[in-house]
Amino acid sequence: MSTITTKDADDTKHHCAACGDSDDGGGSLKTCTGCNLVKYCNRTCQVAHRPAHKKACKKRVAELFDEKLFKQPPPNEDCPICYLRIPIDESQSMYQSCCGKILCLGCAHANTVAAADIEAYKCIFCRTELSSSHEEDIERMKKRVEANDAMAMVRLGTFYDFGMKGLRQDHAKALQLYHKSAKLGNHIAHLNLSVCYQHGDKDTRKATYHIQLGAIAGNVHARYNLGRAEYIAGNMDRAYKHCIISANDGCDDDVIQEPYGMSIRAN
């Protein structure tokens, strides 16, 4: 069986990288799903070419992942009341378990000051009466989870994780909810999973995987942890990239903690 190089296969576009057969532009060849650099007639050709292609494939996969990792993530959504961007500091926003909306604390404060007494205890968005107990809040949260609300999943998971709002501590239930939320793309869920696998169920590979996905999705804390890890490893160029992305997201110096932040700024 003859073999052509990865470069040759990329140039011709319509030749099998292993045997060199052409599909005459018919599109019958299957592209390597890892690197998208080469094509094959079938599984047999792919397996036969694997030893020659493995190194180039892994290199390209790493390059493609870095392109995603160091791409500026999308900004936070706008507050549905004032239409200003939700702050990256999660303590400056609030989740409404009645309607699933995330509101900025500025709007919450303005409503408390301006609204009549009876209106001050209603959701600013949907005007539902606020929860009067932990039990009612948990029940609303569970309904939001059933509606596939990713934020409700991560919040309910946090309550189970730390035994909050009258719930018995249940790490397994928390992990299940975090995973479900992460599959829907919630960056806080990815961050929480990375912490769980770093400090609880020890699994460095999974911890790294989730913290990277959290950073890609826009979590500044995940981005900071990645940057700090690169800094400790001596990879200043990668650490600097993470720092710049965080700064572009609006992350201030309080989040870029010392000595990592000071060293990055000095460079």
Side-chain angles (χ1 to χ4, degrees):
M1 179 180 290
S2 63
T3 302
I4 62 175
T5 65
T6 298
K7 184 179 183 302
D8 290 335
D10 187 55
D11 289 340
T12 58
K13 301 293 185 182
H14 300 296
H15 289 81
C16 173
C19 68
D21 286 350
S22 172
D23 67 350
D24 296 323
S28 61
L29 298 178
K30 304 300 180 184
T31 305
C32 173
T33 55
C35 63
N36 296 319
L37 287 175
V38 294
K39 297 182 178 183
Y40 299 103
C41 298
N42 49 46
R43 177 66 176 169
T44 301
C45 281
Q46 184 176 16
V47 172
H49 189 245
R50 183 61 180 168
H53 176 56
K54 185 176 180 179
K55 185 176 180 180
C57 186
K58 283 188 173 183
K59 180 182 178 182
R60 183 55 181 160
V61 168
E63 290 172 348
L64 290 173
F65 185 79
D66 272 0
E67 287 178 12
K68 291 172 59 179
L69 182 61
F70 293 112
K71 182 180 179 181
Q72 192 71 38
N76 283 347
E77 295 181 356
D78 293 341
C79 170
I81 302 298
C82 65
Y83 293 101
L84 296 177
R85 187 175 299 173
I86 295 292
I88 60 172
D89 183 352
E90 292 159 23
S91 67
Q92 298 301 309
S93 62
M94 58 189 298
Y95 174 81
Q96 302 296 91
S97 59
C98 46
C99 55
K101 296 297 182 181
I102 299 175
L103 312 173
C104 71
L105 289 189
C107 286
H109 175 72
N111 180 70
T112 302
V113 172
D117 289 344
I118 191 171
E119 294 295 316
Y121 295 97
K122 291 183 179 180
C123 171
I124 315 170
F125 185 81
C126 69
R127 312 311 297 169
T128 301
E129 292 284 347
L130 298 179
S131 302
S132 58
S133 65
H134 288 331
E135 291 77 9
E136 184 179 0
D137 195 34
I138 292 297
E139 285 305 311
R140 288 183 176 183
M141 204 78 71
K142 288 180 177 179
K143 288 182 179 180
R144 295 301 309 166
V145 169
E146 291 174 1
N148 247 18
D149 185 330
M151 183 58 75
M153 293 171 191
V154 76
R155 287 183 64 84
L156 187 59
T158 302
F159 297 156
Y160 277 114
D161 205 358
F162 296 97
M164 300 167 62
K165 296 208 171 189
L167 292 176
R168 179 176 296 179
Q169 195 171 39
D170 189 336
H171 294 305
K173 184 68 174 177
L175 205 63
Q176 180 184 10
L177 286 164
Y178 291 157
H179 273 293
K180 192 173 181 180
S181 179
K183 286 181 179 178
L184 293 173
N186 187 279
H187 61 80
I188 301 174
H190 281 299
L191 176 66
N192 289 357
L193 283 169
S194 73
V195 173
C196 288
Y197 287 121
Q198 187 70 36
H199 303 290
D201 302 331
K202 297 282 187 179
D203 191 320
T204 303
R205 184 184 62 82
K206 288 183 178 180
T208 301
Y209 170 77
H210 284 291
I211 202 168
Q212 287 175 333
L213 291 186
I216 289 171
N219 191 283
V220 293
H221 300 292
R223 181 72 64 180
Y224 165 79
N225 290 342
L226 277 178
R228 190 172 189 279
E230 295 288 6
Y231 163 75
I232 292 172
N235 301 322
M236 295 302 295
D237 182 59
R238 295 176 68 85
Y240 179 76
K241 287 180 181 179
H242 286 304
C243 184
I244 290 299
I245 291 172
S246 293
N248 288 339
D249 268 343
C251 181
D252 59 23
D253 288 349
D254 290 335
V255 180
I256 309 297
Q257 302 172 21
E258 310 298 345
Y260 160 58
M262 183 170 63
S263 299
I264 290 294
R265 289 191 292 271
N267 280 273

